[in-house]
Amino acid sequence: MSELGTAAPSIRRSRDVPMLVERARAGDPRAVARLITLVESGDEVLPQVAAALAPYAGQAQVVGLTGSPGVGKSTTTNELVRALRARGHRVGVLAVDPSSPFTGGAILGDRIRMQDHATDPGVYIRSMSSRGHLGGLSAATPQAVRVLEGAGCDVVLVETVGVGQAEVEVASLADTTLVLLAPGMGDAIQAVKAGILEIADIFVVNKADRDGADATVRDINGMIALGERGPGEWRPQVVRSIAARGEGIDDIAAAIDKHRGWLVEHGELRRRREARAAAEIEAIALGVLRARIGSLRDGTGLAALAGRVAEGALDPYAAAGELLAELER
């Protein structure tokens, strides 16, 4: 299910949602690509896409990978795909790359690093531009995950931008969140500052053959020990790996399996997925409101309110109240 190959015109430009979903369910990578393109572009058929995919929601295990640039996220993702394929799983990968604030473009280099799986029909790799969206993901990522679930992926790996301290949004999307660290990069201290400690279900100390690996593991374990946890709560695992040599990948997979078992046993998997659905609903509703507010900019209502606030005749809260009343009408 790789991205490579030239799509037939009927698929490349199609907006026939039932046909696209049927083809995606049959494993056609071109149909999957087209559905994700419709999602990314915010096409007007997006509600139809969401409705068609709804019966397949929650069927894939979603694993998020985050961490600072250079810790080996793409290499680790590549090796995890290999391990999951060895188990017979169909795997989807969403690799989010940073976009230029000037041109809006992105290098999408993660696809280059994962060429080992480009011809594997059981793997679908999609690079997505963040398009300025904060939090390490693209705004379209949640719906893209639904597309891959609908396409029959057993596991979806979501690799974030990798920009550092603000990158915690993946925790709201994933069932299991991996935070990758590397010796000598100050990541152990950054974890305390950034709140990464709270979102990590599994810490992966990659490049563990480097000097300082023992100290990094010790620091992370020390921080975990300081955290408050009630009886039965999950204690983040710390795993060492050298992803470039494929070492420690089985240990990472075992930690993911262990966390999955804990999620199911304690009802946390359902709670997390309900929270994810609530966030999706809220994001969609806010998007609709923003679009309606944007339409008001074409008229005189918002400009008139802005003028009254600027001259001190009206406070911004009262103006916002009038704007919302106008939206309700």
Side-chain angles (χ1 to χ4, degrees):
M1 261 195 344
S2 71
E3 283 186 294
L4 301 182
T6 303
S10 59
I11 292 289
R12 186 188 299 121
R13 300 182 181 87
S14 176
R15 297 167 82 248
D16 182 346
V17 174
M19 181 271 290
L20 289 172
V21 171
E22 181 181 356
R23 296 282 291 272
R25 292 288 297 167
D28 186 339
R30 298 167 298 179
V32 177
R34 179 57 181 160
L35 286 169
I36 294 181
T37 297
L38 292 173
V39 165
E40 285 194 285
S41 63
D43 193 279
E44 63 181 18
V45 301
L46 183 52
Q48 298 177 41
V49 173
L53 294 173
Y56 313 110
Q59 296 185 9
Q61 181 180 7
V62 183
V63 178
L65 297 93
T66 188
S68 300
V71 298
K73 293 190 300 297
S74 295
T75 305
T76 301
T77 301
N78 188 63
E79 293 304 316
L80 271 176
V81 170
R82 196 186 312 279
L84 292 167
R85 289 295 292 141
R87 297 181 176 187
H89 293 315
R90 296 180 71 181
V91 183
V93 179
L94 295 174
V96 184
D97 282 299
S99 56
S100 167
F102 304 105
T103 65
I107 295 176
L108 306 182
D110 294 296
R111 190 189 311 174
I112 299 171
R113 298 189 185 100
M114 300 182 197
Q115 285 301 300
D116 292 353
H117 309 290
T119 59
D120 187 342
V123 179
Y124 183 88
I125 301 170
R126 176 75 174 220
S127 293
M128 305 176 69
S129 170
S130 65
R131 300 188 180 183
H133 185 76
L134 300 179
L137 299 178
S138 162
T141 305
Q143 293 302 318
V145 168
R146 289 186 177 275
V147 172
L148 293 181
E149 286 184 316
C153 290
D154 302 301
V155 182
V156 177
L157 303 177
V158 181
E159 181 190 330
T160 70
V161 167
V163 292
Q165 297 186 18
E167 198 166 322
V168 296
E169 188 176 301
V170 67
S172 65
L173 176 67
D175 300 325
T176 300
T177 301
L178 276 60
V179 173
L180 274 68
L181 311 169
M185 297 184 68
D187 289 300
I189 296 175
Q190 291 297 329
V192 178
K193 292 168 56 180
I196 293 292
L197 182 64
E198 284 74 24
I199 73 162
D201 298 306
I202 300 166
F203 285 101
V204 177
V205 179
N206 192 35
K207 306 181 181 181
D209 53 339
R210 288 185 175 182
D211 292 339
D214 291 341
T216 300
V217 171
R218 184 170 59 250
D219 289 345
I220 295 300
N221 278 318
M223 288 186 292
I224 292 172
L226 293 174
E228 295 183 2
R229 279 176 297 277
E233 289 189 18
W234 175 257
R235 186 185 193 279
Q237 305 288 290
V238 184
V239 182
R240 300 174 187 241
S241 69
I242 309 173
R245 300 206 297 252
E247 297 179 12
I249 302 302
D250 289 340
D251 294 334
I252 297 174
I256 294 172
D257 289 342
K258 184 176 180 180
H259 184 248
R260 170 79 174 193
W262 178 85
L263 289 172
V264 173
E265 179 183 353
H266 290 80
E268 182 69 10
L269 183 62
R270 181 177 179 83
R271 190 201 67 78
R272 289 192 181 195
R273 290 185 171 180
E274 288 179 351
R276 183 192 312 169
E280 281 187 78
I281 295 167
E282 181 181 3
I284 292 169
L286 289 174
V288 172
L289 287 175
R290 289 192 189 99
R292 291 182 181 176
I293 291 173
S295 67
L296 291 179
R297 291 180 180 274
D298 298 331
T300 59
L302 184 58
L305 287 172
R308 292 168 64 192
V309 170
E311 65 187 18
L314 188 68
D315 70 86
Y317 284 92
E322 290 189 25
L323 179 63
L324 289 172
E326 178 64 24
L327 289 174
E328 290 177 358
R329 287 193 293 271

